[in-house]
Amino acid sequence: MADMEHNKEKSSSGPFFNRSFTMHTTAAESNTAALHLLLSNPSSLNRAASVSKFDDSLDSAKGKVKQLCSLFESAKSSSSLATPKAALRPSRSISYSSSFSLSFNNSLIRLPGTEDRIVVYLTSLRGIRRTFEDCHAVKMIFRGFRVWVDERDISMDAAYRKELQSVLKQKTVSLPQIFIKGKYIGGADVIKSMFEFGELAKILDGFPRMKPGFVCQGCGDARFVPCWNCSGSRKVFDEDEELIKRCLECNENGLIRCSDCCS
C-alpha cells in the first residue's frame, strides 16, 4: 500500500514540474535556442543578411536624394538672385508701340498718289493656301474697321505686280503688302501685330467709316467689272481698217476697274 502511494506521488509531481520549467525559461536559454535554430537553418541566415543589406542601400539612397535636393535648392536660390525682376524691364507692348510708331513715321518706301487711302496688294487665287489665308485675314481686319480699302488684286491685273515690284525694288515679292497714307507698312504679320496691340486703330482713326454691311452695287466688292468696250473679249472691230484689234480699255483679262468704288 505504501509503495502504491509513493508511485502515485512520483507520477503526479514529475509532469507538473517539467511543464512549469518549459513555460518559464530564462533569457540565456532562449538566446541559445535561437542560435541553435539559426545554425540548423542556413536559409534564415541568408535572409537576415539580405535584409540588412537592403536597409543599408536604402539609407545610402536617402542620403543621395538629400544631397541632390540641396544642390537644386542652392542652384535655384542663386538663379533667383542673379535674374533681375520682370517689373524692371519694359513691357513688350510699350516697346513694340514705340518702335512701330518710329518706323511708320520714318518709312522710306512710298507709294505716290495714295496719301488719302489704304492700299493692299493681294491675290484672290487659292493656289498657295498660306498666301490666300494671309490676304483674306488682312481683308477681314480692315473690314472690321469699316474703312474703304483700295484692293489691288495682282491675279486680276498683272500691272499691279509690276507696280509693286517697282515700288519695293524687288523682283520677288510676297503677298499681301500694305500701304497706309502712301507709307509702306509691311505684310500680314505686321498688320496682325498692329491689330493685336491697338496700333492699327490709332492709325485708321482719321479715315471715314462705311455703313455696316456695305457692298458695292457695281462690282460686289470685286473692284473689277467686265470691259464695257469689248464686253470682256479683249477684241474690238476697227471699222476704218476693217480689222479686229486688241481692246485698249481693259487689261489682259478683259476687266476694268469699277467706277463706283474705285474712282
Side-chain angles (χ1 to χ4, degrees), residues 126-137:
R126 299 173 181 260
I128 302 176
R129 181 177 179 180
R130 175 65 184 275
T131 301
F132 174 78
E133 290 178 351
D134 288 343
C135 295
H136 182 71

Side-chain angles (χ1 to χ4, degrees), residues 160-171 173:
Y160 288 145
R161 178 184 291 275
K162 296 179 181 178
E163 182 181 69
L164 181 60
Q165 291 173 345
S166 176
V167 172
L168 297 180
K169 296 180 174 56
Q170 296 178 3
K171 186 176 181 180
V173 293

Side-chain angles (χ1 to χ4, degrees), residues 142-160:
F142 283 113
R143 188 170 295 181
F145 288 100
R146 293 190 290 112
V147 294
W148 180 78
V149 178
D150 185 1
E151 298 176 3
R152 301 187 177 184
D153 194 341
I154 66 172
S155 62
M156 305 284 278
D157 195 341
Y160 288 145

Side-chain angles (χ1 to χ4, degrees), residues 74-262:
S74 61
K76 183 177 179 180
S77 61
S78 61
S79 62
S80 61
L81 293 175
T83 305
K85 294 182 179 180
L88 298 177
R89 292 184 295 179
S91 63
R92 181 184 175 186
S93 60
I94 296 175
S95 61
Y96 180 86
S97 174
S98 59
S99 63
F100 174 76
S101 300
L102 183 61
S103 63
F104 177 75
N105 295 326
N106 297 332
S107 178
L108 300 178
I109 302 176
R110 303 295 179 94
L111 186 63
T114 61
E115 288 78 10
D116 60 341
R117 66 184 67 186
I118 304 166
V119 179
V120 178
Y121 290 89
L122 49 81
T123 180
S124 58
L125 295 180
R126 299 173 181 260
I128 302 176
R129 181 177 179 180
R130 175 65 184 275
T131 301
F132 174 78
E133 290 178 351
D134 288 343
C135 295
H136 182 71
V138 170
K139 287 175 60 177
M140 292 299 103
I141 289 175
F142 283 113
R143 188 170 295 181
F145 288 100
R146 293 190 290 112
V147 294
W148 180 78
V149 178
D150 185 1
E151 298 176 3
R152 301 187 177 184
D153 194 341
I154 66 172
S155 62
M156 305 284 278
D157 195 341
Y160 288 145
R161 178 184 291 275
K162 296 179 181 178
E163 182 181 69
L164 181 60
Q165 291 173 345
S166 176
V167 172
L168 297 180
K169 296 180 174 56
Q170 296 178 3
K171 186 176 181 180
T172 303
V173 293
S174 60
L175 297 175
Q177 296 294 336
I178 299 92
F179 293 82
I180 299 178
K181 296 180 180 180
K183 300 178 182 180
Y184 176 65
I185 302 300
D189 294 336
V190 177
I191 293 297
K192 291 177 182 178
S193 299
M194 291 171 58
F195 175 70
E196 180 182 354
F197 289 104
E199 289 296 322
L200 187 60
K202 297 177 182 178
I203 295 176
L204 302 179
D205 191 20
F207 287 93
R209 298 302 197 264
M210 298 185 299
K211 294 181 179 179
F214 173 80
V215 179
C216 178
Q217 298 298 322
C219 64
D221 285 346
R223 304 293 188 263
F224 286 94
V225 294
C227 178
W228 55 267
N229 189 31
C230 65
S231 299
S233 64
R234 299 187 302 162
K235 297 178 181 179
V236 293
F237 181 74
D238 191 348
E239 295 179 355
D240 296 335
E241 299 182 5
E242 296 183 354
L243 294 174
I244 298 177
K245 294 184 177 180
R246 168 75 166 83
C247 180
L248 301 178
E249 301 293 335
C250 58
N251 59 17
E252 71 278 5
N253 295 316
L255 302 173
I256 58 174
R257 293 281 280 180
C258 179
S259 59
D260 293 342
C261 63
C262 298

